[in-house]
Amino acid sequence: MSGRRVTTAVAVVCALSALVLPGQAYAAPEPPPAGGSGSSLEDVRREIDELYRKAAVATDAYNLAEDQAQGQSGEIVKLARTIVAGEQKINKLKDRLGAQARAQYRTGGVPQSARLMLSGNPDLFLRGAARMQQGESAVKSMLEELKRTQEDLRTYSADASTQWTKLEANRKSKEKARKEIKKQIDAAEKIESRLASKDRAKMLELEREAQGRAQSAWMSSGALGSGGGAGTDQGKRAVAYAMDQIGDPYVWGAEGPYAFDCSGLTQQAWISAGRGIPRTSQEQWRLLPRVPVSQMRPGDLIIYFSDASHVAMYIGNGSMVHAPRPGRNVTVAGAGSMPILGVVRPG
């Protein structure tokens, strides 16, 4: 596989998809493909779909590790700056304490304030007593501050070490997920490459038919209900952004502006509307407020499959916009064309 193909192939998505709205007529299932494979095109389609599903799970793992690694890198930078500032503070405190010691040495071990106390002048004595007390308090305060700063520095250093360990673990997780993504996509592409062009076209038709049947059944079930209304201005802005990306390619790990994966699209759409949300579909499902499917409104995110490995944005009228999978572009599809896990509402 060429470098260019690896880059685009690494784009993993969460499900096979293409819009087939309810009411469309469907052809009967095709006979097994020519070539004596022993498998029907429907079997092949399901096998490829499962490979992309596995790749989608690995994609979420990669994106999560990437997101965490970025956060840890930023934390390490902050800790490093704090450590540098702490070291500078310690050096200044040591300089000040050294100056105090040198001053005492120059007066034969007797501070200037103590010499004033021995002068026999009552006014000088009182002033000297006050100065000596202030000096002792200042030295004590500097020593306590030095101790605190040194303790803080040890804590910051330990925190930085912990963050480095986590960062390295996430780098390994990313690499493992990347290999899994490539493995599953390569397997899917290998199967597709063995199909004749007419069989690939028929398989795409079968895919559309299956999704169309799922969408029709979902719409007929009444699960959509009356809906949650037209949506907020913020939700409408998120939908407008997602719709503007129709035709952009699905690329694994991409967050725009010209290519997206499924959660990259939904995240950037909501960022454009002024609301930051988690990077992955699984984290979006875990952390964002959930609403009933029957009450979803434009801008809400639909989470698909039991492992929350795919996400799309509801746009109203039973439809959604999403980034499907490798080799496909951002498109509109039936909201019920894949198994719905639930709905979350960023806004």
Side-chain angles (χ1 to χ4, degrees):
M1 182 179 288
S2 69
R4 176 182 177 83
R5 202 168 161 209
V6 168
T7 301
T8 37
V10 171
V12 178
V13 112
C14 317
L16 294 167
S17 72
L19 174 62
V20 182
L21 295 176
Q24 183 173 347
Y26 304 113
E30 291 295 321
S37 66
S39 298
S40 68
L41 276 176
E42 180 60 19
D43 290 336
V44 173
R45 184 191 72 78
R46 288 176 178 171
E47 183 177 1
I48 291 173
D49 184 63
E50 181 59 24
L51 289 168
Y52 281 123
R53 287 268 298 107
K54 290 178 180 178
V57 174
T59 298
D60 247 19
Y62 182 97
N63 286 337
L64 180 59
E66 169 70 14
D67 201 39
Q68 290 175 338
Q70 288 179 0
Q72 285 150 4
S73 295
E75 187 62 27
I76 287 169
V77 170
K78 287 168 59 179
L79 285 167
R81 289 172 178 165
T82 304
I83 289 170
V84 169
E87 290 173 341
Q88 292 173 344
K89 185 176 181 180
I90 286 173
N91 290 335
K92 288 179 180 179
L93 287 168
K94 287 180 176 179
D95 287 343
R96 290 169 62 188
L97 287 168
Q100 289 276 359
R102 288 191 296 273
Q104 186 170 343
Y105 175 79
R106 285 195 299 270
T107 59
V110 181
Q112 181 66 26
S113 55
R115 295 177 66 188
L116 289 171
M117 290 177 64
L118 300 174
S119 67
N121 186 313
D123 290 337
L124 289 178
F125 174 84
L126 291 174
R127 288 199 295 270
R131 287 182 182 177
M132 187 171 69
Q133 187 176 19
Q134 291 172 357
E136 289 175 351
S137 177
V139 170
K140 182 180 178 182
S141 177
M142 280 191 286
L143 287 171
E144 290 175 349
E145 188 173 3
L146 178 62
K147 182 180 178 181
R148 285 196 305 271
T149 304
Q150 289 172 330
E151 290 173 351
D152 288 345
L153 206 56
R154 284 192 289 269
T155 300
Y156 295 143
S157 297
D159 288 346
S161 178
T162 299
Q163 292 298 331
W164 273 114
T165 300
K166 290 180 180 179
L167 181 62
E168 183 60 24
N170 275 318
R171 283 174 176 163
K172 290 179 180 178
S173 295
K174 283 172 55 181
E175 181 59 21
K176 181 179 178 181
R178 187 193 67 79
K179 289 179 179 178
E180 182 65 18
I181 290 165
K182 187 175 185 303
K183 172 186 173 183
Q184 301 299 339
I185 292 178
D186 284 352
E189 290 183 339
K190 186 175 181 180
I191 294 172
E192 288 184 295
S193 69
R194 292 173 177 171
L195 295 172
S197 58
K198 66 175 183 177
D199 287 334
R200 285 196 293 271
K202 294 293 183 183
M203 191 173 68
L204 179 60
E205 183 180 347
L206 288 173
E207 177 187 317
R208 289 173 173 167
E209 290 174 0
Q211 293 181 358
R213 287 193 296 272
Q215 173 71 0
S216 295
W218 181 71
M219 292 292 289
S220 300
S221 72
L224 183 58
S226 59
T232 63
D233 289 342
Q234 196 174 35
K236 290 175 183 177
R237 290 198 300 272
V239 168
Y241 179 95
M243 294 295 285
D244 283 345
Q245 314 316 313
I246 289 176
D248 288 349
Y250 181 99
V251 175
W252 162 80
E255 303 173 35
Y258 306 115
F260 300 86
D261 64 16
C262 66
S263 56
L265 176 64
T266 54
Q267 183 195 47
Q268 292 304 310
W270 270 100
I271 287 175
S272 76
R275 170 79 161 92
I277 64 173
R279 172 63 179 88
T280 70
S281 59
Q282 291 176 344
E283 289 296 280
Q284 290 170 5
W285 172 243
R286 186 174 72 88
L287 297 174
L288 295 176
R290 300 179 185 182
V291 296
V293 173
S294 61
Q295 294 301 309
M296 68 179 171
R297 65 193 187 196
D300 287 349
L301 305 183
I302 309 173
I303 309 297
Y304 291 97
F305 304 106
S306 60
D307 54 9
S309 56
H310 188 64
V311 61
M313 179 174 290
Y314 187 60
I315 60 175
N317 298 318
S319 298
M320 54 84 162
V321 58
H322 70 153
R325 68 161 176 88
R328 302 290 172 82
N329 298 330
V330 175
T331 188
V332 171
S337 59
M338 293 177 288
I340 295 175
L341 176 62
V343 177
V344 294
R345 178 167 293 165

